[in-house]
């Protein structure tokens, strides 16, 4: 049986990927930074319900990829229960949208912390568990978390679904 860990699996692409993998017999640790939401996602009816240890199914995994301690605890939880990981999917992400009073640097810091450093932190923590010859790391990303778009305020308006962000102030 394949052991898969997916960050950001409580909604969107991660949720759907987890659902399909569980249907195909994978054990999927569904990562979420919000415990109740993660438990709900992993406990959905049908093939997604929680299974006993050693059986395929969905398992909630509390993980905030921006927090070193959270990532290490998640890796330890998977190690203790499964002993290995065959597939690690870095899927957690944030948009580059910020609060109206948030500075450009704060928005970029949050995006980079999640999409770059969070992915690196997660791979580093789970690397000792990725021991099989076919072990795979998948880094998913989308337009809403694009570092290029986050760094260019003029591109933000061109990306469908991007939350409004005030244009940069230009000297007159």
């Amino acid at each position: 049986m394949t052991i898969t860990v997916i960050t950001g699996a409580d909604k969107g692409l991660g949720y759907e990927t987890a659902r399909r993998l569980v249907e195909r017999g994978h054990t999927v640790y569904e990562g979420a930074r919000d415990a109740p939401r993660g438990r709900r996602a992993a406990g959905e009816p049908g093939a997604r319900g929680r299974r006993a240890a050693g059986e395929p199914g969905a398992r909630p995994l509390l993980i905030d990829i921006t927090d070193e301690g959270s990532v290490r605890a998640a890796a330890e939880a998977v190690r203790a229960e499964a002993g290995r990981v065959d597939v690690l999917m870095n899927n957690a992400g944030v948009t580059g949208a910020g609060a109206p009073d948030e500075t450009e640097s704060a928005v970029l810091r949050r995006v980079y912390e999640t999409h770059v450093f969070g992915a690196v932190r997660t791979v580093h923590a789970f690397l000792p568990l990725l021991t099989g010859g076919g072990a795979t790391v998948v880094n998913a990303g989308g337009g809403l978390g694009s570092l290029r778009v986050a760094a260019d305020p003029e591109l933000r308006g061109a990306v469908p679904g991007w939350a409004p962000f005030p244009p940069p102030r230009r000297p007159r």
Side-chain angles (χ1 to χ4, degrees):
M1 139 184 43
T2 303
I3 307 294
T4 302
V5 172
I6 302 176
T7 64
D10 57 330
K11 60 183 176 179
L13 177 66
Y15 178 88
E16 183 62 18
T17 301
R19 185 187 70 75
R20 290 180 182 214
L21 291 175
V22 167
E23 286 178 352
R24 286 164 180 77
H26 289 232
T27 295
V28 180
Y29 288 86
E30 297 186 25
R33 63 183 171 184
D34 178 82
R37 193 168 161 160
R39 283 192 301 273
R40 275 193 306 276
E44 300 248 328
R48 295 182 54 78
R50 185 172 170 83
R51 307 280 199 252
E55 294 179 21
R59 289 173 170 70
L61 181 67
L62 184 60
I63 183 171
D64 176 350
I65 66 167
T66 66
D67 180 271
E68 184 77 33
S70 175
V71 174
R72 286 184 184 169
E76 177 54 30
V78 173
R79 188 207 57 75
E81 187 173 311
R84 72 175 203 285
V85 172
D86 301 304
V87 179
L88 171 63
M89 181 177 178
N90 282 309
N91 176 70
V94 297
T95 68
D101 61 342
E102 194 171 21
T103 64
E104 290 286 316
S105 61
V107 171
L108 286 174
R109 188 173 293 115
R110 187 177 59 253
V111 171
Y112 272 73
E113 183 60 41
T114 302
H115 291 264
V116 177
F117 303 120
V120 170
R121 181 180 294 115
T122 303
V123 169
H124 183 71
F126 281 89
L127 197 57
L129 300 175
L130 291 159
T131 57
T136 303
V137 174
V138 177
N139 292 311
L144 292 179
S146 167
L147 299 176
R148 179 172 181 242
V149 174
D152 187 341
E154 292 183 16
L155 285 176
R156 292 187 191 130
V159 177
W162 195 276
F165 193 83
R169 294 188 186 138
R170 300 193 193 267
R172 294 178 194 221

